[in-house]
Amino acid sequence: MATESLSYKYNSASTIENKNGNENLLLSKFNEVEKGNSPCFFWGKLNNPYELSRCLITLSNVVQSSFNLSPFQMALLKDPIVTAGNNQIRFEGFSHCAGVYARVDILENGQDGEFIENGTTNVDFNTPLISELGKIKKNDDLVLSVGQKEVGFHKEGESFIERKVPLPSKWIKGLTTVQHYFSESEYGLKLNRIQAIQLFKTIPSGKVKTDYFLIKRGNKYLFSPLKSKTAICIGGIHRLKLLQPLIPLINSLDIYPHKDSQSVTFILGFKELNFVFSVSRDFWRGFSGEGAALESLIEDLPDSLVKAFDNYSFTNQEFNPTLMAFEENIDVSKIENLSIKLSAMGLLGYDLAKNGFFYRRLPFKLERILSLNPRLKGAEKLLQENKVEITLHNDNEIEAKVEGSGVLHYVILKGDIQKCTCIWYSKNQGERGVCKHILAVKKKVKYD
């Protein structure tokens, strides 16, 4: 379906070439938005090629995995997003079901090269590329180039010149929720390599449908079906098996649970390299459908403000809320909603290790990205068709009637309580974001 994916072609395939004993990794780029004229964002040597190659293979395993989709849906390949800027390189992607998010961060000292231009693109992770990454050894020299090159992948007489792949819209929606959950996550604990190896040996076999909890028993950490007072809840724990090949290579493991247990994030620390891995609350619930940031997205922000941010952050490659509020004369109270809306556009990611946002320009036009959320579109349609009637409005309580398809829905907003008589609310009880009826009522009250 056209609304489910965005199809595009690479001009050439990603390549690994061997020149004078050095391995050169060339990642094919696609970009619908041209921010500059340079065909290359970064070119340089990677300081930890062995660990990086294993992280990229794990990232590829994540984006090719699924925990709730059919074999037909799993047959579609998905390719990671790459961002080069602010002296860092980031590879990120979701599982097919969008319930697992992974990101590889090459830190400033993890590379020795030149950032020719800041930018974001999508890369072709084909089977030959993954095979070649698996052959990288600890003493190999590896050069990374993020950009479009004339030479594709050529090896043993085979050439890979063009590849057509889809980018699911659920990835873009998932990025909104992931960044929002990251900003609401709190530092939990740090484990060394030995503790992490012991912990991952306690992952149960098979697919586990009940919650598991990370607990401490004596001097050891383990996963247990029994909850304790300080336990960290992990739904769909079998998804953590994707990390097992990396655990023996790490220096440290930091764990960040979401404040309401809607996700849990693991940061695997290597030398000058981080691997970020986050799982949604349950394996059948993808980040793309959670709607955690919907209420912040109802605020109308002027295009001029978005463009001002885009230009400012593209130049500086970071998001400093206080500085931007001062320089652009923005009310500080609007900054939080601005950051959430900009995350929804793909312009911001969140770095838990640094406790701050980083700039990311998805390679698609903003008007395409902004059209992807059905509940926001549904709320706007209800308002345009004048189907929202406010029946009570005072300082502490709002009541409204919202016309549906042959039925009248009743909405009540009282303090932190938000209720609606629709099927969505009855099924989810607000755990996956509010329904379109509550969104429409809130926006009507805000702007009437």
Side-chain angles (χ1 to χ4, degrees), residues 83-96:
T83 298
N86 202 22
N87 294 317
Q88 289 192 203
I89 304 165
R90 306 176 192 269
F91 299 76
E92 57 187 327
F94 287 92
S95 59
H96 284 237

Side-chain angles (χ1 to χ4, degrees), residues 200-208 212 223-224 237-238 241:
F200 272 71
K201 285 182 178 179
T202 66
I203 296 177
S205 60
K207 182 185 293 186
V208 181
Y212 259 65
F223 296 117
S224 169
I237 193 171
H238 54 286
K241 294 177 183 177

Side-chain angles (χ1 to χ4, degrees), residues 76-218:
L76 298 173
L77 294 178
K78 311 296 186 292
D79 293 334
I81 300 165
V82 183
T83 298
N86 202 22
N87 294 317
Q88 289 192 203
I89 304 165
R90 306 176 192 269
F91 299 76
E92 57 187 327
F94 287 92
S95 59
H96 284 237
C97 54
V100 179
Y101 168 83
R103 192 177 76 233
V104 180
D105 290 343
I106 302 175
L107 306 180
E108 184 172 353
N109 293 328
Q111 48 76 26
D112 182 15
E114 180 182 2
F115 286 85
I116 302 168
E117 184 177 292
N118 302 319
T120 302
T121 185
N122 288 81
V123 298
D124 176 20
F125 266 30
N126 49 43
T127 301
L129 175 63
I130 298 302
S131 177
E132 291 300 318
L133 285 172
K135 299 176 184 178
I136 299 296
K137 300 179 178 62
K138 290 189 176 182
N139 295 326
D140 287 342
D141 290 329
L142 184 63
V143 173
L144 172 68
S145 174
V146 180
Q148 184 178 9
K149 297 297 176 181
E150 295 182 0
V151 179
F153 186 87
H154 304 281
K155 187 176 181 181
E156 297 178 356
E158 291 185 287
S159 297
F160 302 87
I161 303 301
E162 183 179 86
R163 183 178 182 198
K164 188 176 182 179
V165 296
L167 177 71
S169 61
K170 67 169 60 178
W171 275 35
I172 301 174
K173 292 188 289 183
L175 287 173
T176 307
T177 300
V178 164
Q179 316 312 329
H180 184 69
Y181 280 173
F182 280 178
S183 65
E184 293 185 338
S185 295
E186 301 171 350
Y187 176 76
L189 54 98
K190 178 186 287 288
L191 278 64
N192 59 35
R193 180 188 302 154
I194 300 301
Q195 290 173 318
I197 291 174
Q198 292 173 339
L199 171 66
F200 272 71
K201 285 182 178 179
T202 66
I203 296 177
S205 60
K207 182 185 293 186
V208 181
K209 295 184 178 180
T210 58
D211 289 336
Y212 259 65
F213 301 90
L214 198 169
I215 65 173
K216 187 176 184 181
R217 185 174 295 166

